[in-house]
C-alpha cells in the first residue's frame, strides 16, 4: 500500500528541502509540498493522502485549531503531524483533542521526524522528546491538568504499556522490549482501551497527557 504525505509549510525552499531529504529515506511513496490552505484543501479532496505535516510557520495556533477541526471532519482517517512553535502542555493537549496524531516541536531533529513518520505508518501515535520534557517540567512545578476519572485503574503493566504506546512503539516492538508475546500486548492494549473508555491510540495519548503519566 502506498504512503502519501503533504508538507504544508513555509518558506517553500525549506519545505522542498525537507521533501527531498524524506525522499532519500524511501519510507514514503509520494511527497507533495503545499503552502496555500486552499490548495491543501484541493489536495485532500482530490487525492488519497495518508499523512499531513502541518507547520506552525504557516498559521497561528488559533488558526491551526480551527483548520485541524475542519480537516478532520472531512478526512477522519488522515494522520496529522503538527510541528509546533514551542507550544505549552495545555496547547499540545488541545491539539490531540482536536484530532492530531503526532506532535513535534521546532527543536525536534530530522531523525525524530523520521521516527514519527514510521510510528504513524505503523498505526501508532507520536509525541516528541521535547514535549515529554515539558510535561515533566509542568508536573514538577506543581501544576496539574484536569484529571480524567476511569472506572477501573490501570495495573502497573498496563501503565508501562501505555507509556510505550505514547512513545510510538508498535505491539511487536513493545513485545520485544518487555519480553512478552504480541498476543499478550494486544490483550493489555484492549484492556487499556476499555478501562480508559477510548477507541484508539490517540485516546490513550490524551489520557496520558491529562493524567501526567508520560515520562
Amino acid at each position: 500500500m502506498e504512503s502519501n504525505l503533504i508538507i504544508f509549510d513555509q518558506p517553500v525552499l525549506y519545505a522542498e528541502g525537507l521533501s527531498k531529504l524524506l525522499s532519500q529515506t524511501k519510507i514514503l511513496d509520494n511527497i507533495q509540498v503545499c503552502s496555500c490552505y486552499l490548495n491543501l484543501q484541493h489536495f485532500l479532496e482530490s487525492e488519497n493522502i495518508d499523512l499531513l505535516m502541518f507547520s506552525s510557520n504557516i498559521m497561528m495556533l488559533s488558526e491551526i485549531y480551527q483548520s485541524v477541526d475542519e480537516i478532520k471532519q472531512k478526512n477522519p482517517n488522515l494522520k496529522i503531524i503538527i510541528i509546533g512553535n514551542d507550544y505549552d502542555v495545555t496547547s499540545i493537549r488541545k491539539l490531540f483533542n482536536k484530532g492530531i496524531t503526532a506532535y513535534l516541536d521546532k527543536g525536534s531533529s530530522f531523525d525524530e521526524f523520521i521516527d514519527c513518520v514510521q510510528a504513524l505508518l505503523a498505526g501508532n501515535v507520536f509525541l516528541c522528546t521535547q514535549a515529554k520534557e515539558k510535561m515533566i517540567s509542568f508536573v514538577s512545578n506543581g501544576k496539574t491538568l484536569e484529571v480524567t476519572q476511569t472506572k477501573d485503574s490501570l495495573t502497573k503493566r498496563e501503565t508501562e504499556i501505555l507509556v510505550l504506546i505514547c512513545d510510538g512503539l508498535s505491539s511487536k516492538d513493545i513485545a520485544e522490549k518487555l519480553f512478552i508475546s504480541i498476543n499478550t500486548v494486544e490483550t493489555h492494549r484492549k484492556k487499556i482501551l476499555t478501562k480508559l473508555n477510548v477507541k484508539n491510540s490517540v485516546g490513550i495519548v490524551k489520557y496520558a497527557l491529562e493524567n501526567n503519566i508520560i515520562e
Side-chain angles (χ1 to χ4, degrees):
M1 183 179 294
E2 289 192 349
S3 52
N4 304 301
L5 167 72
I6 292 181
I7 298 174
F8 183 48
D9 200 358
Q10 290 179 348
V12 174
L13 179 63
Y14 163 79
E16 289 180 345
L18 178 58
S19 173
K20 289 183 178 180
L21 283 173
L22 287 170
S23 297
Q24 292 173 8
T25 68
K26 301 187 183 303
I27 61 175
L28 293 161
D29 297 297
N30 298 294
I31 304 169
Q32 300 187 66
V33 172
C34 180
S35 60
C36 170
Y37 190 64
L38 289 177
N39 290 342
L40 173 63
Q41 291 177 314
H42 174 73
F43 275 129
L44 295 175
E45 289 172 0
S46 62
E47 301 187 31
N48 183 25
I49 304 298
D50 304 295
L51 306 175
L52 167 62
M53 192 207 88
F54 206 118
S55 173
S56 57
N57 291 334
I58 210 159
M59 284 184 177
M60 296 180 63
L61 181 57
S62 59
E63 295 173 318
I64 292 177
Y65 288 148
Q66 181 178 350
S67 298
V68 170
D69 261 340
E70 294 174 354
I71 291 170
K72 289 296 290 186
Q73 285 177 12
K74 296 179 181 179
N75 307 272
N77 296 322
L78 181 67
K79 298 175 180 178
I80 300 177
I81 305 167
I82 295 294
I83 310 295
N85 185 21
D86 199 28
Y87 295 153
D88 59 26
V89 171
T90 302
S91 299
I92 295 170
R93 174 197 173 196
K94 186 172 181 179
L95 286 167
F96 274 100
N97 286 335
K98 293 289 184 182
I100 71 167
T101 322
Y103 177 84
L104 293 162
D105 215 282
K106 63 180 182 179
S108 298
S109 67
F110 180 71
D111 286 342
E112 192 165 30
F113 184 82
I114 294 299
D115 291 341
C116 172
V117 171
Q118 291 176 326
L120 266 58
L121 292 177
N124 301 308
V125 294
F126 192 88
L127 187 65
C128 71
T129 301
Q130 201 164 337
K132 292 177 185 176
E133 289 174 352
K134 290 176 186 175
M135 175 64 69
I136 294 170
S137 175
F138 190 91
V139 175
S140 65
N141 288 331
K143 300 176 182 178
T144 58
L145 291 171
E146 178 185 352
V147 175
T148 301
Q149 298 296 325
T150 59
K151 184 176 180 180
D152 300 302
S153 60
L154 298 178
T155 65
K156 182 178 179 180
R157 177 63 91 183
E158 288 166 351
T159 301
E160 188 175 16
I161 290 174
L162 180 149
V163 172
L164 293 175
I165 290 171
C166 293
D167 283 340
L169 272 66
S170 66
S171 292
K172 180 176 180 295
D173 293 335
I174 294 172
E176 291 175 355
K177 188 176 182 68
L178 299 180
F179 303 103
I180 58 178
S181 70
I182 294 179
N183 287 339
T184 299
V185 174
E186 288 298 326
T187 298
H188 282 304
R189 185 189 286 265
K190 289 176 183 177
K191 288 181 179 178
I192 292 169
L193 292 173
T194 299
K195 287 184 177 182
L196 304 187
N197 193 28
V198 297
K199 296 181 180 180
N200 50 38
S201 296
V202 175
I204 291 175
V205 170
K206 289 179 187 176
Y207 174 86
L209 286 169
E210 291 170 355
N211 290 276
N212 308 326
I213 60 177
I214 296 179
E215 297 182 356

